[in-house]
Amino acid sequence: MNRTRLDRLLGDLDTDGYLLDASQNDANQLYLSGFSGPDPFLTLYADGAVHLLVSGLEYGRARTEAAADTVERHADYDYEYGGREERYDMYARFVTDKGVRSVSVPPRGPVGTADALRERGIDVVVDGDDALGVVRAVKTAEEVDAIREAQRANEAAMRAAESLLAEADVAGDGNGGVPGGEAGGDAENAVEPGTLLRDGEPLTSERVAEEIEVTLLRHGCALDETIVAGGAQAADPHDRGSGPLRANEPIIVDVFPRSKATRYHADMTRTFCVGEPDPAAREWYDLTERALEAALDAVEPGATGEAVHAAACEVYEAAGEPTFRTDPETETGFIHSTGHGIGLDVHESPRLASGAGELEPGHVVTVEPGLYDPAVGGVRLEDLVVVTEDGHENLTEYPIEFVV
Amino acid sequence: MNRTRLDRLLGDLDTDGYLLDASQNDANQLYLSGFSGPDPFLTLYADGAVHLLVSGLEYGRARTEAAADTVERHADYDYEYGGREERYDMYARFVTDKGVRSVSVPPRGPVGTADALRERGIDVVVDGDDALGVVRAVKTAEEVDAIREAQRANEAAMRAAESLLAEADVAGDGNGGVPGGEAGGDAENAVEPGTLLRDGEPLTSERVAEEIEVTLLRHGCALDETIVAGGAQAADPHDRGSGPLRANEPIIVDVFPRSKATRYHADMTRTFCVGEPDPAAREWYDLTERALEAALDAVEPGATGEAVHAAACEVYEAAGEPTFRTDPETETGFIHSTGHGIGLDVHESPRLASGAGELEPGHVVTVEPGLYDPAVGGVRLEDLVVVTEDGHENLTEYPIEFVV
């Protein structure tokens, strides 16, 4: 955590403090408290100090683990297992005891707590500009290292996925099935020609995702939303993919693990094709590789997220592919933004999109152009980079190769 | 989803509708929308119908997957990549277009959205009684089956953990290390006597948790917060455990996976001891097994969560162990509630705790008494049960045995 930056940005707000009511599932809470608690707890930033209020169950751990100046527990406010209103009474006392009469809260903070504090005379203001998110967007060297380490695990997982695809047999090409095995032959006969096979059984999106996630666990990371999508499924950027994979068509593999130790994320996408892609898919891949390079070239301090997005869009638009810039309603072409910040959240500030502001050293962003159309499928390539003083460093060390 | 129950409980509220602004990470959102979207979207329940508002990126998937009566996208409100205020304008129009002038929102719904809608003339009321949580607490047969299936995966993972422990060597007992291997012998000499060994290396909490989580993935479930805690670590119910495990002391293994397919959770805890527990630990285990049985015996429709909790407490109190009932400030003894509802959230209604209300058929709850003291360690046993018309069904099929 960059405490100087925190003090400056939160100090600029027109309230006495910044209040979080959230569990470890909230990135702001993890960042400001430095504490992993499974149930919601309070963190108050005021006068340059961080104060925690936790249940008795979390007290011992919070005192040793939290990055806080003070840690209090419910019993310090004579609260046991009382009702809702008594709990809010405790919250109000915790805040006012610090001399705080007004607090900023993030837009997604809980309305129940906000309303209850207002009823108790505390002014609660929504921090619409997301000051804490802006603080979090600029990473320290330690945070960058955490993301880099997660990306190493990510690359191991991507290698495991690529190997499964590369080693797959293809139904109908004479090599399918268990070598010499009757069962394998039967399975091959039962599936459509072109289906990828492993040990004579169809190789599914789920099976590849499982291999990715097991590899991530073995490398200290977790993820349960892996995207392994081929064919028309790949034309929907949020489709996670399901069922048998096929040869000769693009397969998007998008992996965004979180380190269990640091809780920082990595993110990478590659698109693979087993066999021979058709010319349209090949052209899309080449275009997307050029769009990735153009966008990466544009990443430097002072460049806007909009300019980076424009660099990718221009490659596609010059080739006649629709983008949201040329057609806001298009459902094919380049139908998402070029990238997003990443850290304790997998999606955080800054954005690489229309209207996005200037990049700063320490911003860590994904760069992920892609093309989508159910008639062709989908192609996406994604690297992870950190903005440096004089450009950027690519944190991704995985080759870009289509045919496996 | 029990639509009749939903209509009754949400229909009783004094507002025109119930509004959610949340992603798939929110159990209410998953339940009401039936849709898994990684970014926040709106779900409005009004006049017995469920309406969704999603981004263009989610539109196709939402129309085919969501359990909604209508699905609209941002473009239907001429919103593209506008600013924050334009987005809230869209939200207000989405709500008022349905004839809704007042909405209930859950206590943990986002304050930014609530305040913005209020500024736009919509009355936003916090549903402090958590009507949607009360609806979710009663499971349909299909939901119970989803939980039962997750518990089967959980049992496979627990078996994997128990096997790792049972097969471990113990440093200093002459059997440690790789059979006949020099490296093993070296490792054994380097570690404290009593440390559990696998292939001559200390067997750690992290290694056992990894095996549990890999097994869960292989069975279609995910989890990244497994508890494998021995010795003094086990005396803190929320300590996930780290470092080498040891013989002759209780090791708490608490596993609460989520099915990737259904998103429903299971939950189970067992406490194991490799070697010979000391008399205090043995007594704790026997007491806890009796507390579990007493609490299970009390689970039936019409019984209160408080009564079930009391049944567990009474076993401990009769043996002279402190509980929160006899000493609200105690840091040793039985220092948590007896259980919690489980479903799309790992912790949800109802509670088995002081002040908790009546159980109903369809409630799925954990029953998990335990004892904690850094001088002894920790012991906890947890089963998962569903309340039936005439008692309960235990969804857990894992033996209760201390010494492995």
Side-chain angles (χ1 to χ4, degrees):
Chain A
M1 184 163 75
N2 184 328
R3 194 67 181 249
T4 311
R5 190 174 155 83
L6 183 81
D7 289 338
R8 180 163 54 80
L9 282 162
L10 295 194
D12 278 352
L13 296 170
D14 286 333
T15 49
D16 300 338
Y18 203 97
L19 182 71
L20 300 176
D21 171 4
S23 75
Q24 63 190 4
N25 294 327
D26 180 82
N28 281 331
Q29 182 65 286
L30 273 177
Y31 188 83
L32 193 60
S33 71
F35 180 61
S36 298
D39 299 315
F41 59 96
L42 294 194
T43 298
L44 175 68
Y45 173 91
D47 274 335
V50 175
H51 307 281
L52 258 61
L53 176 64
V54 302
S55 73
L57 201 54
E58 306 289 8
Y59 185 61
R61 216 162 49 80
R63 282 207 302 182
T64 55
E65 294 177 15
D69 297 283
T70 74
V71 176
E72 294 172 286
R73 60 182 142 178
H74 295 174
D76 294 328
Y77 293 86
D78 298 324
Y79 174 85
E80 293 161 20
Y81 283 109
R84 192 167 63 230
E85 296 304 319
E86 290 76 15
R87 192 177 179 96
Y88 289 138
D89 288 344
M90 168 177 67
Y91 287 2
R93 282 185 49 213
F94 167 73
V95 169
T96 52
D97 276 7
K98 312 291 177 297
V100 168
R101 295 286 176 276
S102 61
V103 290
S104 296
V105 297
R108 301 200 68 83
V111 60
T113 307
D115 281 7
L117 292 179
R118 286 165 175 163
E119 283 163 16
R120 287 158 177 81
I122 295 167
D123 193 20
V124 178
V125 180
V126 173
D127 167 30
D129 292 326
D130 190 21
L132 194 48
V134 171
V135 174
R136 283 169 40 212
V138 172
K139 272 70 179 176
T140 63
E142 192 182 3
E143 291 175 286
V144 173
D145 284 344
I147 294 168
R148 192 193 314 268
E149 196 180 319
Q151 189 76 329
R152 291 294 88 77
N154 204 357
E155 288 156 1
M158 188 66 79
R159 271 192 296 276
E162 185 178 342
S163 295
L164 268 188
L165 295 174
E167 293 162 8
D169 298 310
V170 179
D173 75 352
N175 290 319
V178 176
E182 277 302 306
D186 287 349
E188 185 180 358
N189 292 336
V191 300
E192 273 186 57
T195 302
L196 298 186
L197 300 175
R198 180 176 175 82
D199 298 335
E201 295 294 324
L203 180 62
T204 61
S205 292
E206 292 87 343
R207 178 68 185 80
V208 177
E210 181 182 311
E211 201 60 30
I212 287 168
E213 293 169 12
V214 167
T215 307
L216 290 173
L217 277 178
R218 299 291 190 201
H219 287 77
C221 286
L223 173 67
D224 68 352
E225 295 278 350
T226 308
I227 293 172
V228 180
Q233 290 176 0
D236 177 343
H238 278 188
D239 193 320
R240 290 185 285 274
S242 60
L245 294 163
R246 300 178 52 76
N248 311 320
E249 61 185 27
I251 299 168
I252 291 179
V253 181
D254 187 349
V255 188
F256 37 99
R258 185 182 67 180
S259 159
K260 285 161 161 288
T262 69
R263 292 188 168 257
Y264 280 84
H265 291 81
D267 200 349
M268 173 170 45
T269 304
R270 289 294 182 264
T271 301
F272 301 115
C273 183
V274 180
E276 195 53 47
D278 66 29
R282 165 62 74 185
E283 187 191 337
W284 275 25
Y285 193 92
D286 294 342
L287 264 179
T288 299
E289 189 170 354
R290 284 173 45 213
L292 174 65
E293 283 164 11
L296 286 173
D297 282 349
V299 174
E300 62 183 13
T304 62
E306 174 155 358
V308 177
H309 180 54
C313 287
E314 282 158 15
V315 171
Y316 287 137
E317 290 162 8
E321 297 294 341
T323 73
F324 275 150
R325 302 199 318 172
T326 58
D327 177 5
E329 311 239 337
T330 185
E331 295 184 358
T332 64
F334 182 32
I335 53 173
H336 53 68
S337 67
T338 294
H340 54 83
I342 190 166
L344 292 169
D345 264 334
V346 69
H347 288 166
E348 59 181 46
S349 289
R351 298 177 307 127
L352 304 181
S354 295
E358 287 189 7
L359 295 173
E360 295 180 51
H363 279 164
V364 176
V365 293
T366 68
V367 180
E368 47 177 318
L371 285 174
Y372 309 90
D373 184 341
V376 180
V379 168
R380 182 166 65 254
L381 294 171
E382 175 184 33
D383 277 5
L384 183 61
V385 306
V386 55
V387 180
T388 58
E389 293 296 335
D390 57 359
H392 70 269
E393 179 196 351
N394 195 325
L395 302 177
T396 320
E397 296 178 355
Y398 202 90
I400 292 181
E401 270 186 69
F402 192 21
V403 176
V404 298
Chain B
M1 185 163 77
N2 183 329
R3 194 67 180 249
T4 311
R5 189 174 157 83
L6 183 80
D7 289 339
R8 181 163 53 81
L9 281 163
L10 295 194
D12 278 351
L13 296 170
D14 286 333
T15 50
D16 301 336
Y18 203 96
L19 183 71
L20 300 176
D21 171 4
S23 74
Q24 64 189 5
N25 294 327
D26 180 83
N28 281 331
Q29 182 65 287
L30 273 177
Y31 188 82
L32 193 59
S33 70
F35 181 61
S36 298
D39 299 316
F41 58 97
L42 294 193
T43 298
L44 176 68
Y45 174 91
D47 274 335
V50 175
H51 307 280
L52 258 62
L53 176 64
V54 302
S55 73
L57 199 55
E58 306 289 9
Y59 184 62
R61 216 160 49 81
R63 280 207 302 181
T64 54
E65 294 177 14
D69 297 283
T70 74
V71 177
E72 294 173 287
R73 60 182 143 179
H74 295 175
D76 295 328
Y77 292 86
D78 298 323
Y79 175 85
E80 294 161 20
Y81 284 109
R84 189 167 66 230
E85 296 304 318
E86 290 76 15
R87 192 176 179 95
Y88 289 139
D89 289 344
M90 168 176 66
Y91 287 2
R93 282 186 47 214
F94 167 74
V95 169
T96 52
D97 275 8
K98 310 291 176 299
V100 167
R101 296 284 176 278
S102 61
V103 291
S104 296
V105 296
R108 301 202 68 83
V111 61
T113 306
D115 280 7
L117 292 178
R118 287 165 175 163
E119 283 163 16
R120 286 158 178 82
I122 296 166
D123 193 20
V124 178
V125 180
V126 173
D127 167 30
D129 292 327
D130 190 19
L132 195 48
V134 171
V135 174
R136 282 170 40 213
V138 173
K139 272 71 179 176
T140 63
E142 193 183 2
E143 291 175 286
V144 173
D145 283 344
I147 294 168
R148 192 193 315 268
E149 197 181 318
Q151 189 77 329
R152 292 294 88 76
N154 203 358
E155 288 156 3
M158 188 65 79
R159 271 191 296 275
E162 184 177 344
S163 294
L164 268 188
L165 295 173
E167 293 161 9
D169 299 310
V170 179
D173 75 353
N175 291 319
V178 176
E182 277 302 306
D186 286 352
E188 183 180 359
N189 292 336
V191 300
E192 274 187 56
T195 302
L196 298 186
L197 300 175
R198 181 175 174 82
D199 298 335
E201 296 295 323
L203 180 63
T204 61
S205 291
E206 292 87 343
R207 178 69 185 81
V208 177
E210 182 182 310
E211 201 61 30
I212 287 168
E213 292 169 13
V214 167
T215 306
L216 290 174
L217 277 178
R218 298 292 190 200
H219 287 77
C221 287
L223 174 66
D224 69 351
E225 296 277 351
T226 308
I227 293 172
V228 180
Q233 290 175 359
D236 177 344
H238 277 189
D239 193 320
R240 290 185 286 273
S242 60
L245 294 163
R246 298 178 53 76
N248 310 322
E249 61 187 25
I251 298 169
I252 290 179
V253 181
D254 187 350
V255 188
F256 37 99
R258 184 181 68 180
S259 160
K260 284 160 159 292
T262 68
R263 292 186 169 261
Y264 281 82
H265 291 80
D267 200 349
M268 173 171 45
T269 304
R270 289 295 181 263
T271 301
F272 300 116
C273 183
V274 179
E276 196 51 48
D278 65 30
R282 166 60 76 186
E283 188 190 338
W284 274 26
Y285 193 92
D286 294 341
L287 264 179
T288 298
E289 190 171 352
R290 282 173 46 212
L292 174 65
E293 284 164 11
L296 285 172
D297 281 347
V299 174
E300 62 183 14
T304 63
E306 174 156 357
V308 177
H309 180 55
C313 287
E314 281 159 14
V315 171
Y316 287 137
E317 290 163 7
E321 297 295 340
T323 73
F324 275 150
R325 302 198 318 172
T326 58
D327 176 6
E329 311 238 336
T330 184
E331 295 183 358
T332 63
F334 181 31
I335 54 174
H336 52 68
S337 67
T338 293
H340 54 82
I342 190 165
L344 292 169
D345 263 335
V346 69
H347 288 166
E348 57 181 47
S349 288
R351 298 179 306 125
L352 304 181
S354 295
E358 285 189 9
L359 295 174
E360 295 181 50
H363 279 162
V364 176
V365 293
T366 68
V367 180
E368 47 177 317
L371 286 174
Y372 309 89
D373 183 340
V376 180
V379 168
R380 181 166 65 253
L381 293 171
E382 175 184 33
D383 277 3
L384 183 60
V385 306
V386 55
V387 181
T388 58
E389 293 296 335
D390 57 359
H392 70 270
E393 180 196 351
N394 195 326
L395 302 176
T396 319
E397 297 178 354
Y398 201 91
I400 292 181
E401 270 186 69
F402 192 22
V403 176
V404 298

